[in-house]
Every structure is written in structure tokens, then in C-alpha cells.
């Protein structure tokens, strides 16, 4: 890696040959997804090139490589949570509806869109706490551990976030009804 850092980019191929399998194994064990793991391996090697100036040679190359891999994995998890959040919003929107007619379906889609927009308008902290409590179904004590807080504080924050979501949703609904007239 020190040679790659010095500008000998041909050595990157050698590093790839030596480390792509163990790196893939690590990422696959963490995610259980073959294609995603392959993509993440490519991203790790891309970041090795991009951030080669940060490798000092004082520690082991593998340690540095796995540090990059953990960062790539964290980025992937964030992307997956966003996708899961959208899926959970869709599921919640399905619960809101109930009719099978075309009008009911249209109303359900509009409610889903408003809920999604209302969630987007929440602060990051409020959105996170609602996702953890309502969509991920974590207990307040578990959320308190994740966020390094107390269970009582989490209960208050969830209550406030729900009230804010309700307020935003009603504002969006009122605005929609005004536009419909």
C-alpha cells in the first residue's frame, strides 16, 4: 500500500488479488447479501485509491482496509434504512386505508404521500426516534441505550415527535383540501 501511496498504482491489482476474498467474506457475513457485498468490495478498493494518502504504514494494512470496509458497510446500512423506511411508510399507509374502490385507493395514495412528506419535514432526531420506536419496534429501554439517554427522556421525545408528526400531517392535509377547492 505504501507503494500505491507513492504513485505505483499497478500494485493496487496485487492488493486486490490478495484481499478481495477475505474482504468479501467479511462483508458477506455482515450483510448476507452477495451482490451488495461484491459492490461494497469494489467501493472499498475505490476508497483505498481515493484515500491512499491517509495510510501511514504505522499500523497493519489489513486494519486500515477493514476500517474502510466498516465505513462502507455503515454507508450501505444507512441506504438500506432509507429504503426500509420507505417500505415501512408504504406499509403504514396500507393500514390507513381499507377500502377497495378506486376512490379509496386514490385517498390511500394521497395519505401515504402526505405521511411520507410529513416524516421528511421532521427533524433528523425526531424522524430517527419515530423510526426506532414505531417502525423498528424497539422498546424505549433499547432506544435509550442506542441514543445514550434515559428511558423517561425517550418517552418524552417519542411523544413530542408523534405530536409534531400529527401537526405537520394535519397542516399538509389542510393545505391539500384548500388546493382541492
Amino acid at each position: 500500500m505504501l507503494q500505491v501511496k507513492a504513485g505505483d498504482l499497478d500494485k493496487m491489482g496485487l492488493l486486490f488479488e490478495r484481499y478481495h476474498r477475505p474482504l468479501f467474506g467479511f462483508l458477506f457475513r455482515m450483510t448476507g447479501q452477495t451482490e451488495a457485498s461484491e459492490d461494497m468490495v469494489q467501493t472499498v478498493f475505490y476508497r483505498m485509491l481515493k484515500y491512499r494518502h491517509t495510510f501511514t504504514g504505522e499500523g497493519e494494512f489489513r486494519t486500515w482496509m477493514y476500517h474502510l470496509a466498516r465505513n462502507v458497510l455503515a454507508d450501505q446500512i444507512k441506504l438500506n434504512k432509507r429504503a426500509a423506511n420507505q417500505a415501512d411508510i408504504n406499509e403504514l399507509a396500507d393500514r390507513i386505508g381499507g377500502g377497495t374502490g378506486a376512490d379509496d385507493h386514490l385517498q390511500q395514495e394521497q395519505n401515504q404521500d402526505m405521511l411520507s412528506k410529513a416524516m421528511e419535514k421532521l427533524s433528523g432526531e425526531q424522524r430517527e426516534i419515530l423510526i426506532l420506536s414505531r417502525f423498528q419496534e424497539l422498546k424505549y429501554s433499547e432506544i435509550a441505550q442506542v441514543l445514550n439517554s434515559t428511558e423517561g427522556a425517550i418517552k418524552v421525545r417519542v411523544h413530542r415527535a408523534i405530536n409534531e408528526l400529527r401537526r405537520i400531517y394535519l397542516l399538509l392535509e389542510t393545505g391539500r383540501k384548500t388546493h382541492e377547492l
Side-chain angles (χ1 to χ4, degrees):
M1 188 62 203
L2 289 174
Q3 291 174 348
V4 171
K5 181 179 178 179
D8 188 1
L9 300 182
D10 292 335
K11 297 295 183 192
M12 197 66 190
L14 180 62
L15 290 174
F16 183 81
E17 287 176 26
R18 285 185 187 167
Y19 293 104
H20 81 276
R21 288 180 152 249
L23 193 56
F24 173 81
F26 166 72
L27 294 167
F28 180 76
R29 285 184 197 97
M30 294 297 290
T31 64
Q33 300 172 350
T34 303
E35 288 182 26
S37 298
E38 290 170 353
D39 291 344
M40 286 188 282
V41 167
Q42 296 297 321
T43 303
V44 170
F45 278 95
Y46 168 76
R47 288 189 184 179
M48 282 183 199
L49 279 173
K50 184 176 180 180
Y51 299 112
R52 63 185 179 262
H53 65 277
T54 65
F55 182 71
T56 61
E58 292 176 11
E60 279 192 49
F61 166 73
R62 289 179 354 141
T63 305
W64 181 74
M65 177 186 72
Y66 282 113
H67 175 76
L68 290 175
R70 289 183 71 226
N71 289 342
V72 168
L73 182 61
D75 292 346
Q76 182 69 28
I77 289 170
K78 287 177 191 174
L79 288 173
N80 288 344
K81 283 185 180 179
R82 286 185 195 130
N85 178 29
Q86 186 61 41
D88 289 337
I89 287 173
N90 293 342
E91 181 183 323
L92 183 59
D94 289 343
R95 292 182 202 162
I96 291 173
T100 56
D103 289 339
D104 289 339
H105 182 69
L106 179 61
Q107 181 66 38
Q108 183 179 354
E109 284 182 9
Q110 289 174 342
N111 288 342
Q112 179 181 350
D113 288 342
M114 281 196 312
L115 180 61
S116 182
K117 287 178 185 174
M119 285 290 288
E120 289 174 10
K121 291 186 181 291
L122 288 174
S123 71
E125 178 183 312
Q126 290 174 323
R127 190 171 39 254
E128 177 183 43
I129 205 152
L130 284 180
I131 290 169
L132 290 172
S133 67
R134 297 302 189 249
F135 296 110
Q136 299 303 113
E137 299 177 353
L138 292 179
K139 297 177 183 174
Y140 291 144
S141 59
E142 294 171 319
I143 298 170
Q145 289 177 347
V146 169
L147 300 180
N148 197 25
S149 187
T150 65
E151 189 173 340
I154 296 301
K155 288 179 183 179
V156 169
R157 288 167 61 187
V158 167
H159 177 74
R160 288 178 181 165
I162 289 172
N163 285 339
E164 182 64 9
L165 180 63
R166 182 180 298 122
R167 184 188 73 77
I168 293 170
Y169 184 90
L170 291 174
L171 282 173
L172 289 172
E173 186 177 47
T174 303
R176 187 184 80 197
K177 286 180 182 175
T178 303
H179 291 328
E180 289 175 354
L181 297 175

